[in-house]
Amino acid sequence: MNIKYAPSADQMENAETNIVAALMTLVTNTGLGRFADASTLIDNWNEAASLNSTTSLPQYISNLINDINHNVTEVDMGRIVEEFLHSWNIEARLFACASCGIKAFEMGNDQSHSISIKELDSLLISDADRDKLLNIPLKFRSMASYYQSTSTSLYYHLHREFVTINAATENQQEEECATLCLMLMMPREKFHMTQFIHFEN
Protein backbone atom coordinates (compact mmCIF):
# COMPACT_ATOMS: atom_id res chain seq x y z
CA MET A 1 0.00 0.00 0.00
CA ASN A 2 1.14 3.57 -0.61
CA ILE A 3 0.14 6.77 1.11
CA LYS A 4 -2.59 8.48 -0.95
CA TYR A 5 -1.06 11.92 -0.57
CA ALA A 6 1.64 13.56 1.52
CA PRO A 7 1.03 16.07 4.33
CA SER A 8 0.86 19.65 3.14
CA ALA A 9 3.65 22.19 3.59
CA ASP A 10 1.65 23.93 6.34
CA GLN A 11 1.24 20.65 8.20
CA MET A 12 5.00 19.94 8.02
CA GLU A 13 6.22 23.41 9.08
CA ASN A 14 7.95 23.97 12.45
CA ALA A 15 8.10 20.27 13.40
CA GLU A 16 10.49 21.09 16.24
CA THR A 17 7.92 23.19 18.12
CA ASN A 18 4.51 22.33 16.66
CA ILE A 19 2.89 19.09 17.84
CA VAL A 20 0.74 18.88 14.70
CA ALA A 21 3.77 19.20 12.44
CA ALA A 22 5.61 16.65 14.57
CA LEU A 23 2.68 14.23 14.13
CA MET A 24 2.72 14.70 10.35
CA THR A 25 6.48 14.14 10.28
CA LEU A 26 6.00 10.95 12.28
CA VAL A 27 3.38 9.69 9.82
CA THR A 28 5.67 10.39 6.87
CA ASN A 29 8.97 9.15 8.30
CA THR A 30 7.78 5.97 10.02
CA GLY A 31 5.95 4.43 7.09
CA LEU A 32 2.49 4.80 8.67
CA GLY A 33 1.34 5.81 5.21
CA ARG A 34 1.27 2.11 4.32
CA PHE A 35 -1.89 1.73 6.40
CA ALA A 36 -5.31 2.59 5.03
CA ASP A 37 -6.39 5.05 7.74
CA ALA A 38 -3.24 7.16 7.51
CA SER A 39 -4.99 9.42 4.98
CA THR A 40 -7.86 9.87 7.45
CA LEU A 41 -5.33 10.77 10.12
CA ILE A 42 -3.86 13.44 7.84
CA ASP A 43 -7.33 14.80 7.11
CA ASN A 44 -8.02 15.08 10.85
CA TRP A 45 -4.62 16.25 12.00
CA ASN A 46 -5.94 18.98 14.33
CA GLU A 47 -8.16 16.51 16.16
CA ALA A 48 -5.44 13.87 16.36
CA ALA A 49 -2.91 16.34 17.76
CA SER A 50 -5.28 17.37 20.57
CA LEU A 51 -5.88 13.81 21.86
CA ASN A 52 -4.72 12.95 25.36
CA SER A 53 -4.79 9.94 27.68
CA THR A 54 -8.32 10.75 28.89
CA THR A 55 -9.78 11.09 25.39
CA SER A 56 -11.48 8.11 23.76
CA LEU A 57 -9.76 7.22 20.51
CA PRO A 58 -11.50 7.96 17.19
CA GLN A 59 -12.20 4.88 15.09
CA TYR A 60 -9.52 5.66 12.52
CA ILE A 61 -6.86 5.77 15.27
CA SER A 62 -8.11 2.45 16.63
CA ASN A 63 -7.97 1.03 13.09
CA LEU A 64 -4.36 2.18 12.72
CA ILE A 65 -3.36 0.60 16.01
CA ASN A 66 -5.08 -2.63 15.02
CA ASP A 67 -3.47 -2.65 11.56
CA ILE A 68 -0.01 -2.05 13.01
CA ASN A 69 -0.43 -4.71 15.70
CA HIS A 70 -1.55 -7.29 13.14
CA ASN A 71 0.77 -6.36 10.28
CA VAL A 72 4.03 -5.62 12.07
CA THR A 73 4.81 -9.09 13.40
CA GLU A 74 7.57 -10.45 15.61
CA VAL A 75 9.09 -11.91 12.43
CA ASP A 76 9.22 -8.40 10.93
CA MET A 77 10.79 -6.95 14.06
CA GLY A 78 13.29 -9.80 14.19
CA ARG A 79 14.24 -9.21 10.56
CA ILE A 80 14.69 -5.47 11.20
CA VAL A 81 16.96 -6.16 14.19
CA GLU A 82 18.92 -8.77 12.22
CA GLU A 83 19.45 -6.39 9.30
CA PHE A 84 20.56 -3.66 11.68
CA LEU A 85 23.03 -5.94 13.48
CA HIS A 86 24.35 -7.17 10.12
CA SER A 87 25.05 -3.61 8.97
CA TRP A 88 26.29 -2.35 12.36
CA ASN A 89 29.83 -1.03 12.30
CA ILE A 90 31.27 0.42 15.48
CA GLU A 91 33.80 2.31 13.36
CA ALA A 92 31.12 3.90 11.17
CA ARG A 93 31.41 7.61 10.47
CA LEU A 94 28.61 9.88 11.68
CA PHE A 95 27.38 12.32 9.05
CA ALA A 96 24.59 14.87 8.77
CA CYS A 97 22.59 15.74 5.66
CA ALA A 98 22.98 19.36 4.58
CA SER A 99 19.39 19.38 3.33
CA CYS A 100 17.21 17.47 5.81
CA GLY A 101 19.64 17.82 8.72
CA ILE A 102 19.19 14.21 9.84
CA LYS A 103 22.27 12.60 11.38
CA ALA A 104 23.11 8.97 10.66
CA PHE A 105 26.01 6.55 10.79
CA GLU A 106 27.40 5.31 7.48
CA MET A 107 26.12 1.77 7.77
CA GLY A 108 24.26 -0.43 5.30
CA ASN A 109 22.20 1.73 2.95
CA ASP A 110 22.80 4.86 5.01
CA GLN A 111 25.71 6.38 3.14
CA SER A 112 26.63 10.02 2.73
CA HIS A 113 27.11 11.55 -0.70
CA SER A 114 29.11 14.68 -1.43
CA ILE A 115 27.68 16.67 -4.32
CA SER A 116 28.53 20.03 -5.82
CA ILE A 117 25.97 22.70 -4.99
CA LYS A 118 25.99 23.56 -8.69
CA GLU A 119 23.86 20.42 -9.11
CA LEU A 120 21.35 21.45 -6.43
CA ASP A 121 19.13 23.90 -8.30
CA SER A 122 16.11 22.25 -6.65
CA LEU A 123 17.33 23.64 -3.32
CA LEU A 124 17.80 27.24 -4.43
CA ILE A 125 15.91 29.73 -2.29
CA SER A 126 13.24 31.58 -4.24
CA ASP A 127 13.45 35.35 -4.64
CA ALA A 128 10.49 35.80 -2.27
CA ASP A 129 12.04 33.62 0.45
CA ARG A 130 15.42 35.29 -0.05
CA ASP A 131 13.79 38.69 0.56
CA LYS A 132 12.18 37.35 3.75
CA LEU A 133 15.54 36.00 4.87
CA LEU A 134 17.32 39.29 4.24
CA ASN A 135 14.62 41.14 6.18
CA ILE A 136 15.63 39.23 9.31
CA PRO A 137 17.93 41.47 11.39
CA LEU A 138 21.54 40.45 10.80
CA LYS A 139 22.16 39.52 14.45
CA PHE A 140 19.33 36.94 14.26
CA ARG A 141 19.80 35.76 10.68
CA SER A 142 22.22 32.99 11.61
CA MET A 143 19.30 31.20 13.34
CA ALA A 144 17.82 30.45 9.89
CA SER A 145 19.08 27.43 7.96
CA TYR A 146 20.50 28.68 4.69
CA TYR A 147 23.74 28.69 2.76
CA GLN A 148 25.03 31.48 0.56
CA SER A 149 27.45 30.36 -2.10
CA THR A 150 30.88 31.94 -1.85
CA SER A 151 31.28 31.78 -5.62
CA THR A 152 27.86 32.81 -6.97
CA SER A 153 26.26 34.51 -3.91
CA LEU A 154 23.13 32.42 -4.55
CA TYR A 155 21.14 31.26 -1.52
CA TYR A 156 20.31 27.59 -0.88
CA HIS A 157 18.03 25.68 1.50
CA LEU A 158 21.02 23.97 3.11
CA HIS A 159 22.47 23.70 6.59
CA ARG A 160 25.62 25.71 5.99
CA GLU A 161 27.63 23.81 8.62
CA PHE A 162 27.39 20.70 6.39
CA VAL A 163 28.64 22.43 3.25
CA THR A 164 32.37 22.20 2.68
CA ILE A 165 34.68 24.03 0.31
CA ASN A 166 37.16 21.70 -1.35
CA ALA A 167 40.45 23.46 -1.98
CA ALA A 168 41.57 24.01 -5.54
CA THR A 169 44.14 21.65 -7.03
CA GLU A 170 46.20 21.70 -10.19
CA ASN A 171 43.43 19.94 -12.09
CA GLN A 172 40.32 21.24 -10.34
CA GLN A 173 38.94 24.58 -9.21
CA GLU A 174 37.76 25.25 -5.67
CA GLU A 175 34.36 23.60 -5.25
CA GLU A 176 31.51 23.93 -2.76
CA CYS A 177 30.02 20.53 -1.87
CA ALA A 178 27.09 19.52 0.31
CA THR A 179 26.83 16.23 2.17
CA LEU A 180 23.48 14.59 1.37
CA CYS A 181 21.74 11.45 2.59
CA LEU A 182 20.46 8.74 0.27
CA MET A 183 16.89 10.13 0.14
CA LEU A 184 18.14 13.43 -1.25
CA MET A 185 20.08 11.59 -3.97
CA MET A 186 16.85 10.68 -5.78
CA PRO A 187 16.36 12.09 -9.30
CA ARG A 188 16.09 15.86 -8.91
CA GLU A 189 12.51 16.05 -10.23
CA LYS A 190 11.28 13.79 -7.42
CA PHE A 191 12.03 16.10 -4.51
CA HIS A 192 11.38 19.77 -3.94
CA MET A 193 12.28 20.43 -0.33
CA THR A 194 11.86 24.17 -0.80
CA GLN A 195 8.09 23.82 -0.53
CA PHE A 196 8.47 22.71 3.09
CA ILE A 197 10.78 25.53 4.24
CA HIS A 198 9.58 29.00 5.09
CA PHE A 199 11.23 32.02 6.67
CA GLU A 200 9.26 34.10 9.13
CA ASN A 201 10.18 37.45 10.67
Side-chain angles (χ1 to χ4, degrees):
M1 291 182 287
N2 294 311
I3 193 167
K4 292 183 178 179
Y5 55 89
S8 68
D10 289 340
Q11 291 169 341
M12 295 288 281
E13 191 176 3
N14 300 321
E16 297 86 355
T17 57
N18 185 315
I19 190 172
V20 173
L23 178 66
M24 292 300 99
T25 303
L26 177 69
V27 170
T28 304
N29 291 343
T30 59
L32 274 176
R34 293 177 299 151
F35 301 104
D37 275 286
S39 57
T40 309
L41 174 64
I42 293 174
D43 288 335
N44 296 275
W45 51 287
N46 274 320
E47 176 191 42
S50 64
L51 294 176
N52 57 58
S53 58
T54 62
T55 307
S56 59
L57 295 176
Q59 188 59 48
Y60 62 89
I61 296 287
S62 298
N63 291 344
L64 274 173
I65 293 172
N66 185 63
D67 281 347
I68 292 169
N69 286 339
H70 285 84
N71 288 287
V72 182
T73 65
E74 289 187 10
V75 173
D76 291 325
M77 290 187 285
R79 175 181 50 77
I80 292 169
V81 170
E82 185 177 341
E83 289 176 357
F84 173 78
L85 292 175
H86 180 72
S87 64
W88 173 254
N89 177 7
I90 198 170
E91 303 293 336
R93 185 176 75 96
L94 179 67
F95 73 93
C97 178
S99 181
C100 68
I102 293 177
K103 295 179 175 65
F105 287 98
E106 287 190 319
M107 298 186 299
N109 291 328
D110 291 325
Q111 299 291 320
S112 65
H113 301 269
S114 181
I115 184 169
S116 170
I117 65 168
K118 294 176 182 178
E119 300 180 43
L120 296 177
D121 289 350
S122 297
L123 297 178
L124 279 169
I125 291 178
S126 67
D127 290 344
D129 278 347
R130 182 200 60 210
D131 292 342
K132 290 180 182 179
L133 171 66
L134 297 179
N135 280 333
I136 299 174
L138 188 60
K139 63 180 179 179
F140 299 121
R141 197 176 299 163
S142 62
M143 298 174 66
S145 292
Y146 73 92
Y147 175 74
Q148 184 180 15
S149 170
T150 58
S151 59
T152 65
S153 296
L154 295 173
Y155 289 84
Y156 291 82
H157 286 291
L158 290 169
H159 296 275
R160 54 192 171 276
E161 61 270 29
F162 305 132
V163 178
T164 57
I165 300 177
N166 297 332
T169 64
E170 289 185 7
N171 301 319
Q172 189 173 356
Q173 294 181 333
E174 181 180 271
E175 186 175 35
E176 299 162 276
C177 293
T179 299
L180 299 181
C181 62
L182 185 62
M183 184 188 77
L184 272 300
M185 292 303 295
M186 294 187 300
R188 299 289 170 258
E189 68 274 7
K190 290 190 178 181
F191 71 93
H192 300 280
M193 294 298 291
T194 52
Q195 65 181 305
F196 297 124
I197 306 171
H198 303 274
F199 296 111
E200 301 295 340
N201 291 326

